Amino acid sequence: MLALGVFLDEVSNISQNPREPLEIETRPGLFDCFYQFLSWLCLNPQPQPRDVVQRVSRAEKWYIIFRKSLKPTYEHQIDNRIIPKEKANKRSFRRFCRQQHIHFFWILHRATNVQSHERPWGIQTLETEDFLRQWRAHGDIPEHYSSTLDEEMTPDLRLVCRSMGPIQINENYTNFFVTREGYMGLGPTRMRTQDRICLLYGCDVPVVLRWEKFRNVLVGQCYVAGAMFGEAFD
């Protein structure tokens, strides 16, 4: 079968989340060190903060992948002249991170509201407007490119994320992915890195294609923030 469309980008990072939450090693905070010191004074030794293991939700793991992708994606856009080199400065990087931060919000919105048809620039419910306002306010946007990017969610963002409700994964939106140029989305379980995100004429949603045996194989449909309502054709 022959289908016409537009190649959007290639997948560079993917979550491939298990059904159970992820466990990661937490960073010891100031309170942890103070509590450890009090325990030592009371001769009641406690496990070192670095030995404490934290349960991390699926959304928080997605956020870590998203934050890790910011600098490589920004550099890729400069190398490919999507962002002109003469305009690559700290203001440009901050604007880029702010835009990506909002795209990630819509990823979470789709994941927690699988049946929703709200558009980023359309009429939104009061609840969505409130969540978006809080998400913007606690953006943790870096000041310039050399800034150290915290990969974990801040407590404020984590609270907003939990308030949005549980992630409702279905067979189409199992994996969070980031492409080389910075598109973010949710795709099927079978998708891999180097799969291609394409927009086919006559198809309502983007699709994931894989080049196998000299032909494109359909992997499944996907959700791509910023490319669901014709933006990629503008």
Side-chain angles (χ1 to χ4, degrees):
M1 183 180 71
L2 179 65
L4 298 178
V6 175
F7 168 70
L8 190 63
D9 205 3
E10 184 178 282
V11 176
S12 60
N13 292 292
I14 193 169
S15 63
Q16 299 216 4
N17 294 295
R19 290 293 178 181
E20 296 298 323
L22 175 75
E23 289 187 350
I24 66 169
E25 189 176 279
T26 61
R27 300 176 181 176
L30 182 61
F31 178 79
D32 295 319
C33 296
F34 179 70
Y35 180 74
Q36 187 71 25
F37 177 70
L38 288 181
S39 300
W40 178 77
L41 288 178
C42 298
L43 300 179
N44 182 26
Q46 298 292 325
Q48 294 291 328
R50 66 175 60 90
D51 296 330
V52 176
V53 179
Q54 177 185 356
R55 302 286 285 183
V56 177
S57 69
R58 181 178 284 110
E60 289 177 86
K61 183 184 177 184
W62 291 356
Y63 186 81
I64 292 172
I65 296 172
F66 150 63
R67 295 285 287 192
K68 284 183 176 179
S69 73
L70 284 175
K71 286 187 177 181
T73 300
Y74 183 73
E75 292 172 350
H76 179 84
Q77 292 200 7
I78 294 173
D79 292 341
N80 288 271
R81 303 294 297 176
I82 299 171
I83 298 175
K85 288 186 178 181
E86 59 272 16
K87 294 185 178 180
N89 51 40
K90 65 179 182 180
R91 182 178 299 178
S92 168
F93 181 64
R94 184 173 175 81
R95 188 187 310 119
F96 168 79
C97 291
R98 187 183 296 113
Q99 181 183 42
Q100 292 295 89
H101 183 70
I102 298 305
H103 282 328
F104 188 81
F105 169 83
W106 287 105
I107 294 291
L108 290 181
H109 183 271
R110 169 57 62 181
T112 54
N113 298 271
V114 175
Q115 302 301 321
S116 173
H117 296 286
E118 291 181 74
R119 302 187 179 192
W121 62 84
I123 298 176
Q124 299 161 11
T125 65
L126 293 177
E127 183 180 50
T128 299
E129 288 181 351
D130 184 53
F131 286 144
L132 180 56
R133 191 180 305 111
Q134 294 179 56
W135 189 259
R136 288 179 185 271
H138 305 298
D140 192 24
I141 306 300
E143 288 295 332
H144 46 78
Y145 183 80
S146 61
S147 300
T148 301
L149 291 176
D150 289 330
E151 295 171 0
E152 297 176 23
M153 278 187 179
T154 63
D156 290 324
L157 285 181
R158 191 175 292 114
L159 182 60
V160 176
C161 189
R162 290 174 180 171
S163 299
M164 291 175 70
I167 288 179
Q168 305 170 29
I169 293 296
N170 64 16
E171 65 276 8
N172 296 319
Y173 301 146
T174 303
N175 284 312
F176 170 72
F177 66 85
V178 182
T179 70
R180 296 189 185 280
E181 292 186 4
Y183 286 103
M184 291 181 285
L186 299 171
T189 307
R190 297 193 306 119
M191 73 182 302
R192 308 172 189 162
T193 56
Q194 299 185 338
D195 281 349
R196 302 171 177 183
I197 308 300
C198 298
L199 306 173
L200 301 182
Y201 294 115
C203 188
D204 294 335
V205 293
V207 296
V208 183
L209 300 179
R210 182 175 303 146
W211 185 251
E212 285 185 348
K213 299 180 180 178
F214 304 102
R215 64 191 180 98
N216 283 309
V217 177
L218 179 65
V219 178
Q221 70 181 61
C222 62
Y223 174 87
V224 182
M228 295 300 296
F229 305 103
E231 302 98 320
F233 291 105
D234 295 340

